[in-house]
Amino acid sequence: PSSGWGERGLGSTLLGVSVTSMRGDLGETFGSSLGISLWRNFWLKARYGWLEFIGGYQKLSRDTGPSGSLFVYPFTANVVVAFPEARFRPYLGFGGGAYGWESQVRVGGDAQLETPGWSPGWNAGVGLEYYLRPRVSFDVAVRYHQATGPEAISKLGPEGLRFTTIWFGHYVRF
């Protein structure tokens, strides 16, 4: 398969696992989340040459205070630099996009308070593809995300939305 500008591929955690850990003040409230396949998460990436589009969601449950959840769903465009063809192929990525979230907090009985929002943000990551076949790889990636736009700061606190993800999934090139 082609690499560089000629590369085309899709990857996801559909048959994998993702771990998300909140940073800053939100980390004390929500901690981390483990998602398996479609349970509590789904991440998808589409690579076209050196451009990679990432989208998905992760659900984090509250660790302290009233019960509730935080859903995060970024949609980003990234530049990816992958090392030359080999069975183990590391890559680096950096980009930005729109970060959405919805906080749900139980306030009594069946009532809940919902606080949704969107903010611009950025991310940076490193990954390693292990090729099982010439076009199919096991993909492990660590990515840091940060959204600190005015809406994120006003609704989520002075540090906005900051989290780290670790993905264990697959990547298929065509």
Side-chain angles (χ1 to χ4, degrees):
S2 298
S3 58
W5 282 110
E7 183 170 337
R8 311 287 184 270
L10 289 173
S12 78
T13 58
L14 180 60
L15 301 172
V17 174
S18 78
V19 178
T20 298
S21 179
M22 299 304 291
R23 299 287 177 234
D25 293 339
L26 287 178
E28 295 174 17
T29 304
F30 293 100
S32 62
S33 170
L34 172 66
I36 301 172
S37 199
L38 292 175
W39 178 73
R40 298 181 68 90
N41 84 110
F42 178 72
W43 295 96
L44 178 71
K45 71 177 183 179
R47 196 177 291 167
Y48 186 83
W50 294 348
L51 189 59
E52 181 176 77
F53 299 97
I54 294 177
Y57 76 92
Q58 187 83 31
K59 177 184 177 185
L60 297 108
S61 298
R62 291 179 68 96
D63 290 341
T64 62
S67 66
S69 301
L70 175 68
F71 293 86
V72 294
Y73 35 92
F75 296 96
T76 66
N78 305 287
V79 173
V80 174
V81 177
F83 285 71
E85 298 298 318
R87 182 168 295 277
F88 288 96
R89 188 172 82 145
Y91 62 90
L92 305 168
F94 179 81
Y99 282 76
W101 70 86
E102 182 173 304
S103 174
Q104 300 173 348
V105 179
R106 292 251 179 247
V107 291
D110 291 337
Q112 71 179 13
L113 175 64
E114 294 183 4
T115 307
W118 287 91
S119 181
W122 64 272
N123 71 81
V126 298
L128 179 68
E129 297 164 353
Y130 171 68
Y131 280 86
L132 306 167
R133 313 257 320 143
R135 296 179 186 268
V136 179
S137 72
F138 177 67
D139 187 10
V140 178
V142 177
R143 192 170 292 273
Y144 175 78
H145 300 263
Q146 183 169 330
T148 55
E151 188 172 15
I153 291 172
S154 70
K155 292 184 177 179
L156 298 175
E159 296 179 337
L161 184 64
R162 298 185 313 138
F163 60 98
T164 304
T165 58
I166 302 171
W167 302 343
F168 301 91
H170 64 279
Y171 178 64
V172 178
R173 292 164 58 177
F174 33 86

